[in-house]
Amino acid sequence: MDDRANTRRPPERTPERTIETVVARLGLTLAQPLGGRLIQPVLDLMISTLARRHPDAFERMAELGEADLLVDPSDLPAAFLLHVGQKPSLRVVERSTVATARVRGAFAALLDLFEGRIDGDALFFSRDLTIEGDTELVVGMRNALDGEDFDIAEDFGSLFGPLARLPLRRPLTSLAGVLGNLHEVLLAPALRRLEQVERRLGRLEEGKR
Amino acid sequence: MASFELICPAGTLAALRAAVDAGADSVYVGFRDETNARNFPGLNFSRKELAQGVAYAHARGKQVFVAINTYPTAGNAGAWHRAVDDAADNGADAVILADLGLLDYAARSRPKLRLHLSVQASAANPEAIGLYRDAFGVRRVVLPRVLTINDIAKLTSEIDIDTEVFVFGGMCPMAEGRCSLSSYATGRSPNRNGVCSPASHVRYETRGSKLVSRLGAFTINTFDEEEPAGYPTLCKGRFTTHDKASYLFEEPTSLNALHLLPDLKAAGVKALKIEGRQRGKAYIAEVVSACRLALDRFDRGLPYDATVLDRVTEGGKDTAGAYGRAWR
Ligand code: SF4
């Protein structure tokens, strides 16, 4: 038997994903004190847009029955609760929320998984993805999503109306490339400041209780 | 002419397109029910999706096979018969069957449909394979993964239908169709329900820095923090005997026989199969294109990298399986 063991390798992260992670982190941090009021309409719009553009995937998800999947990005200040079934919904929740199953990993990896750009099993084997709870739900969700070609830029581009038609993708990608290369230098201090803000907000929250 | 036909898995239409685009010669799929051995939640094809998949593949000169390779329950073969009829009506190039009764049904009711014998039938000698050929007109046999290269060469020389063997993917180290481990632990088996160690019975638990995988009432494995994990397939569990934990049957590895292409060609093998209809399209695209590249380079007499797929293997390890096994 050939038992060459591989060393674990973190999945590669594109500059676009780095920016998406920072934007999501910023958005969640700023929106959290307002509860769901600011962010919920956006999430509702995202779900209805996806359901309209990918009816087959949503049909498969509905077949999984009524269940809650906690999507827990380890590098964001909060988690998302995806309800699957007849009326799918997405909410921002605390990561301690009880759900039928939970998937935890870096936000970029979760986005890659959503778009089918990365092999979920390999992520799990390499321990970059953690699964808890009802494994059947997680496997069913993965298969339902993987059967479709989701593309965040394409799917949500339409939400920006005429703006989406502007030829922005190229310059944004190059900007992301530059930022990606410089991200250690440029983004690290910003991320540290964000963490400080998160900690302060956390203390304020605790004070309220 | 190419040395081998490359047969690739797809659990969804997106994966089928990925396989065709990455260089599959043929793609094998199953319907979304218990008539096939990858009956996983949310996976597999509706009839409409099969028709779309066949159209996509045929437009690019590729073929689609439909696996209907579980065993019908007694007196309840309707779903299996419908699967054969619908595969034929939707343009499948072959069906992959294991059950004698179903082979009989397909041969009688769809005489033009090409029949392949599934690995699930575990046909491993010339007499058995000759019977399937004579009685039902079977044109190809997928050989069980328990044979060595020498066994395959001898068998192929003794039969006059095509042989297909697994070249890459998950390992099922027992004689296929005959394993009852999953039935014992969960009441559900690959042979009857189309799923081994089903996800409905799988639980992962984090205990401190360790990851524990469980199947039904059994702990199958405990992984240290830095250790690559594996799916809790029963035969790949780490069990304690005589106070020592070890992989009693098989390690959580993937089969990789790419380095054996010269031997498989010399053995007279016609087609190479990749396991993994349950895997995502990113995996399918990566594995199929790597195998395509290896096969093309092999055909041109060029060196090729047989280790290129190590990154996606289960447990981060691979094995040549029974092809080169020294049994413990
Ligand atoms: S337990 Fe292992 S040997 Fe048995 S059917 Fe499952 S994969 Fe195959």
Side-chain angles (χ1 to χ4, degrees):
Chain A
M1 177 174 293
D2 178 0
D3 59 358
R4 269 165 295 148
N6 269 2
T7 45
R8 289 176 49 203
R9 235 180 30 174
E12 285 150 29
R13 182 178 292 195
T14 61
E16 289 92 330
R17 287 286 188 252
T18 305
I19 289 192
E20 281 155 2
T21 304
V22 172
V23 169
R25 234 175 136 174
L26 195 64
L28 284 178
T29 307
L30 297 177
Q32 255 179 340
L34 299 170
R37 265 174 297 152
L38 194 67
I39 225 162
Q40 196 53 50
V42 180
L43 295 177
D44 290 345
L45 187 60
M46 285 166 73
I47 287 288
S48 59
T49 306
L50 289 178
R52 186 169 35 79
R53 289 176 61 92
H54 302 282
D56 290 350
F58 277 73
E59 198 183 296
R60 283 188 190 216
M61 272 191 249
E63 285 172 17
L64 301 173
E66 303 293 323
D68 290 312
L69 178 66
L70 186 71
V71 182
D72 181 4
S74 50
D75 46 357
L76 293 194
F80 300 93
L81 192 68
L82 176 66
H83 178 77
V84 294
Q86 291 309 317
K87 275 189 148 188
S89 66
L90 187 65
R91 285 191 297 130
V92 174
V93 294
E94 291 191 12
R95 51 170 41 101
S96 56
T97 304
V98 176
T100 324
R102 167 172 140 156
V103 183
R104 182 174 164 83
F107 186 57
L110 294 171
L111 288 182
D112 281 346
L113 207 54
F114 170 71
E115 289 189 338
R117 292 182 192 280
I118 197 163
D119 175 32
D121 296 69
L123 270 187
F124 171 74
F125 296 151
S126 64
R127 309 285 293 272
D128 292 301
L129 195 75
T130 320
I131 294 167
E132 276 169 26
D134 183 348
T135 314
E136 190 169 34
L137 172 66
V138 178
V139 172
M141 271 300 294
R142 198 285 301 265
N143 290 335
L145 295 177
D146 201 74
E148 284 284 313
D149 290 321
F150 287 101
D151 183 317
I152 291 170
E154 292 271 319
D155 285 328
F156 298 130
S158 60
L159 294 183
F160 300 103
L163 271 184
R165 282 197 289 275
L166 294 176
L168 286 175
R169 204 169 172 161
R170 254 258 181 96
L172 276 180
T173 309
S174 2
L175 176 68
V178 174
L179 281 180
N181 292 337
L182 293 177
H183 112 269
E184 280 302 314
V185 185
L186 290 180
L187 293 183
L191 287 175
R192 268 200 302 278
R193 271 203 299 282
L194 252 181
E195 264 157 25
Q196 284 164 2
V197 173
E198 277 163 23
R199 270 202 298 276
R200 274 214 301 280
L201 280 171
R203 280 200 295 274
L204 276 177
E205 276 291 305
E206 264 166 31
K208 266 196 263 165
R209 274 186 218 132
Chain B
M1 204 184 110
S3 301
F4 302 101
E5 186 183 325
L6 185 60
I7 319 290
C8 305
T12 62
L13 201 48
L16 179 145
R17 288 194 292 261
V20 168
D21 295 349
D25 293 312
S26 307
V27 182
Y28 66 105
V29 304
F31 288 126
R32 209 181 298 170
D33 57 28
E34 60 186 0
T35 61
N36 73 93
R38 290 291 182 276
N39 179 23
F40 287 29
L43 197 75
N44 288 324
F45 285 62
S46 65
R47 271 51 178 178
K48 187 178 118 205
E49 286 167 334
L50 174 66
Q52 290 170 329
V54 167
Y56 188 86
H58 285 181
R60 288 152 186 83
K62 311 297 177 190
Q63 297 191 306
V64 176
F65 305 157
V66 180
I68 310 168
N69 57 350
T70 46
Y71 292 86
T73 44
N76 188 23
W80 282 262
H81 291 177
R82 273 195 303 283
V84 168
D85 292 335
D86 292 343
D89 292 342
N90 285 293
D93 298 284
V95 286
I96 309 168
L97 311 179
D99 181 65
L100 279 170
L102 196 59
L103 280 156
D104 183 59
Y105 173 82
R108 284 173 198 275
S109 64
R110 300 286 176 162
K112 291 208 185 91
L113 186 59
R114 184 180 164 97
L115 305 184
H116 291 184
L117 190 65
S118 168
V119 69
Q120 282 285 103
S122 222
N125 57 65
E127 293 78 12
I129 295 167
L131 175 74
Y132 285 110
R133 181 205 57 202
D134 296 341
F136 312 115
V138 164
R139 311 262 288 275
R140 175 179 296 183
V141 54
V142 186
L143 294 179
R145 280 169 278 192
V146 293
L147 302 178
T148 64
I149 289 276
N150 287 340
D151 295 334
I152 293 170
K154 184 161 183 298
L155 185 56
T156 303
S157 71
E158 290 168 348
I159 59 176
D160 53 8
I161 62 173
D162 294 350
T163 48
E164 180 175 310
V165 303
F166 282 89
V167 69
F168 190 86
M171 284 286 298
C172 181
M174 314 275 177
E176 276 98 341
R178 317 241 163 114
C179 175
S180 297
L181 280 175
S182 183
S183 298
Y184 175 71
T186 69
R188 292 171 65 78
S189 81
N191 314 321
R192 305 300 290 269
N193 313 99
V195 59
C196 171
S197 312
S200 52
H201 291 67
V202 169
R203 285 290 179 278
Y204 296 106
E205 291 166 17
T206 312
R207 286 192 204 150
S209 63
K210 291 186 192 295
L211 174 71
V212 176
S213 65
R214 296 173 58 83
L215 182 72
F218 300 90
T219 296
I220 304 299
N221 214 333
T222 305
F223 301 98
D224 284 332
E225 195 177 3
E226 285 298 309
E227 203 179 5
Y231 189 84
T233 310
L234 251 166
C235 61
K236 293 169 193 161
R238 191 156 35 181
F239 303 109
T240 305
T241 45
H242 300 300
D243 296 328
K244 192 172 171 286
S246 72
Y247 291 103
L248 283 181
F249 308 107
E250 179 64 87
E251 302 206 10
T253 54
S254 294
L255 171 75
N256 183 359
L258 276 178
H259 63 287
L260 295 172
L261 292 184
D263 306 86
L264 292 167
K265 185 176 181 183
V269 168
K270 167 90 179 172
L272 299 179
K273 184 168 214 157
I274 299 170
E275 183 278 346
R277 284 192 282 129
Q278 72 284 14
R279 303 293 294 263
K281 60 184 180 241
Y283 170 90
I284 303 280
E286 185 172 355
V287 172
V288 174
S289 47
C291 289
R292 176 83 276 157
L293 184 69
L295 259 52
D296 288 351
R297 288 186 66 87
F298 172 71
D299 278 341
R300 283 162 39 216
L302 299 169
Y304 61 91
D305 182 4
T307 66
V308 62
L309 287 169
D310 283 358
R311 199 173 69 80
V312 292
T313 56
E314 186 173 359
K317 297 179 186 179
D318 65 27
T319 169
Y323 298 143
R325 180 177 309 273
W327 289 99
R328 287 181 220 179

